[in-house]
Amino acid sequence: MTEHFSVKLPEEVAHILKALNDNNHQAYIVGGCVRDIILNKDPKDWDISTSATTDEIKAIFNKTIDTGIKHGTVSVVIGNKVVEVTSFRTFNPDESKSLITDLSHRDLTINSMAYHPEEGLLDPFSGLEDIKNAVIRAVGNPSDRFMEDPLRMLRAVRFSATLGFDIDKSTLDAIKSCSQLIVNISRERIRDELTKILISNRPFKFILLRDVQLLKYILPEFDICFDITQNHPYHIYNVAEHSLKAVSEIENDIGLRWAILLHDTGKAVTKFTDKDGTDHFYGHPEKSVDIAKNVLERLKFDNKTIAKVCRLIRHHDKRIQPDFKSVRKAVNTIGEDFFMDLLKVQEADKKGQNPEFLNTSLTELNKIKEIYKEISNEKHCLSVKDLKINGRDLIALGFRQSKEIGCILEKLLNNVLEKPELNTYNDLIEMAKSLKNQQGESL
Ligand code: ATP
Ligand code: MG
């Protein structure tokens, strides 16, 4: 099937296609870039498939890099641009090497189209029609595709979330019956797909992972949250649905979205129903931190992301009063670098709860934001390093042990958080002296 439309190819891509053709090889742009062009999006990268072998590719171009010889891929360097060129792939030894065979082993019909400037669109699996109908469909027999590479099941859900397409029924059924194969896939690849779903414009599609029974294999800690009901006036959803509603309410930053996803996972192990039938989840934030740390380490996230997510989860339920003293203390506890993020988490959390209380919560959070702005503008003292005296001043007063000095500085800070006007050299020296006298007396 050939569709006639013309595509403005980047110079280096057109050059590579022509050089391969001039050397009597077939060559096409394939996969994601063709899909993106049809969707009117700028392709992130341009992939070329060719009948040439890797040796033949390398013989044609001056500068190449062996990025994946084992998989038939060579990177061709033209000026400061790099394009991946891959020899037509086959999956079984009895298959012939051709464009059609190569396309037939790709994951989804929308990702299995090729284009050539003279031949136009080559679309043997009707990807164009599926794009027009907004359908995600595996190429050929879905179960065969998923058995070849189970990650494709997650990719199907991911594209459903990023493009807003529905997954075709037979593809969906095949995912359900193949779901347990996902355990054979590396955790890094799973992490990347889950993250792409979460930071998409439709993170609520994450729920599909539950429907097709993938979640119990890759994120059982979240899967069980669908069974944790919350009989409490603030809540109208179970823990997982609440979390997914909240995920849709926060900007699409990786740390923020993972934090919201996992913030209530500790509820599964802390649920307590009182005699009136109301559910309580005392101490759940700490439990959620333990669970989140476990999940993120298992998925091989970097330490910085793990630390951020855990910090936000630890404090997500912290009640901050909308007054200066309370806000200063909260900023000190949470850290200036995370305070605004915490407010975003708290706002999203509220938006995923009973809407009856939303206005009151938002008014309060907005007040806290205003107060925080003022505190930052006026450079209020928020941590020990902002105090107008330091450890050396305390040594001069006769304090000796560093532990003791740290302790005194914390006490001074506490006073200053209560009353910022006390942050002067003289006031602090006087306070330190009286603390020393008190110590002397208590000895
Ligand atoms: P994006 O780049 O937006 O993540 P993409 O579809 O371009 O999406 P890539 O990883 O760049 O994904 O892959 C390029 C192409 O390679 C895909 O469009 C698809 O044709 C093919 N492909 C990628 N991963 C798989 C896979 N696991 N199984 C089969 N084909 C795949
Ligand atoms: Mg791509």
Side-chain angles (χ1 to χ4, degrees), residues 8 224 243 270 275 288 320 352:
K8 177 109 191 61
I224 58 172
S243 302
T270 51
K275 61 177 177 9
S288 301
I320 307 166

mmCIF file of all heavy atoms in Angstrom, residues 8 224 243 270 275 288 320 352:
data_model
loop_
_atom_site.group_PDB
_atom_site.id
_atom_site.type_symbol
_atom_site.label_atom_id
_atom_site.label_comp_id
_atom_site.label_asym_id
_atom_site.label_seq_id
_atom_site.Cartn_x
_atom_site.Cartn_y
_atom_site.Cartn_z
ATOM 1 N N LYS A 8 9.434 16.710 4.405
ATOM 2 C CA LYS A 8 10.702 17.450 4.352
ATOM 3 C C LYS A 8 11.683 16.744 5.285
ATOM 4 O O LYS A 8 11.580 16.827 6.507
ATOM 5 C CB LYS A 8 10.444 18.901 4.785
ATOM 6 C CG LYS A 8 11.639 19.782 4.862
ATOM 7 C CD LYS A 8 11.658 20.839 3.729
ATOM 8 C CE LYS A 8 12.996 21.575 3.629
ATOM 9 N NZ LYS A 8 14.150 20.721 3.341
ATOM 10 N N ILE A 224 -2.112 -3.543 45.123
ATOM 11 C CA ILE A 224 -3.006 -3.871 46.244
ATOM 12 C C ILE A 224 -3.781 -2.647 46.731
ATOM 13 O O ILE A 224 -4.816 -2.779 47.377
ATOM 14 C CB ILE A 224 -2.265 -4.523 47.445
ATOM 15 C CG1 ILE A 224 -1.157 -3.610 47.961
ATOM 16 C CG2 ILE A 224 -1.736 -5.905 47.097
ATOM 17 C CD1 ILE A 224 -0.531 -4.111 49.263
ATOM 18 N N SER A 243 -4.846 8.130 44.310
ATOM 19 C CA SER A 243 -3.476 8.496 43.932
ATOM 20 C C SER A 243 -3.403 8.843 42.443
ATOM 21 O O SER A 243 -2.727 9.794 42.055
ATOM 22 C CB SER A 243 -2.510 7.354 44.239
ATOM 23 O OG SER A 243 -2.583 7.040 45.619
ATOM 24 N N THR A 270 -1.495 0.081 57.169
ATOM 25 C CA THR A 270 -1.805 0.814 58.410
ATOM 26 C C THR A 270 -3.314 0.967 58.627
ATOM 27 O O THR A 270 -3.730 1.604 59.588
ATOM 28 C CB THR A 270 -1.180 2.238 58.377
ATOM 29 O OG1 THR A 270 -1.555 2.868 57.153
ATOM 30 C CG2 THR A 270 0.325 2.187 58.492
ATOM 31 N N LYS A 275 -14.765 1.838 65.751
ATOM 32 C CA LYS A 275 -16.047 1.174 66.049
ATOM 33 C C LYS A 275 -17.213 1.773 65.265
ATOM 34 O O LYS A 275 -18.243 1.132 65.077
ATOM 35 C CB LYS A 275 -16.324 1.171 67.561
ATOM 36 C CG LYS A 275 -16.428 2.540 68.196
ATOM 37 C CD LYS A 275 -16.782 2.400 69.666
ATOM 38 C CE LYS A 275 -16.862 3.692 70.454
ATOM 39 N NZ LYS A 275 -16.802 4.973 69.797
ATOM 40 N N SER A 288 4.816 4.561 53.828
ATOM 41 C CA SER A 288 4.884 4.816 52.383
ATOM 42 C C SER A 288 6.323 5.105 51.955
ATOM 43 O O SER A 288 6.741 4.701 50.864
ATOM 44 C CB SER A 288 4.010 6.001 51.983
ATOM 45 O OG SER A 288 2.670 5.786 52.337
ATOM 46 N N ILE A 320 0.457 22.185 57.935
ATOM 47 C CA ILE A 320 1.140 23.462 58.120
ATOM 48 C C ILE A 320 0.073 24.524 58.345
ATOM 49 O O ILE A 320 -0.872 24.648 57.569
ATOM 50 C CB ILE A 320 1.974 23.821 56.856
ATOM 51 C CG1 ILE A 320 2.908 22.667 56.479
ATOM 52 C CG2 ILE A 320 2.773 25.093 57.088
ATOM 53 C CD1 ILE A 320 3.499 22.790 55.085
ATOM 54 N N GLY A 352 -7.382 15.166 44.757
ATOM 55 C CA GLY A 352 -7.783 13.779 44.544
ATOM 56 C C GLY A 352 -8.701 13.275 45.649
ATOM 57 O O GLY A 352 -8.987 12.088 45.726
#
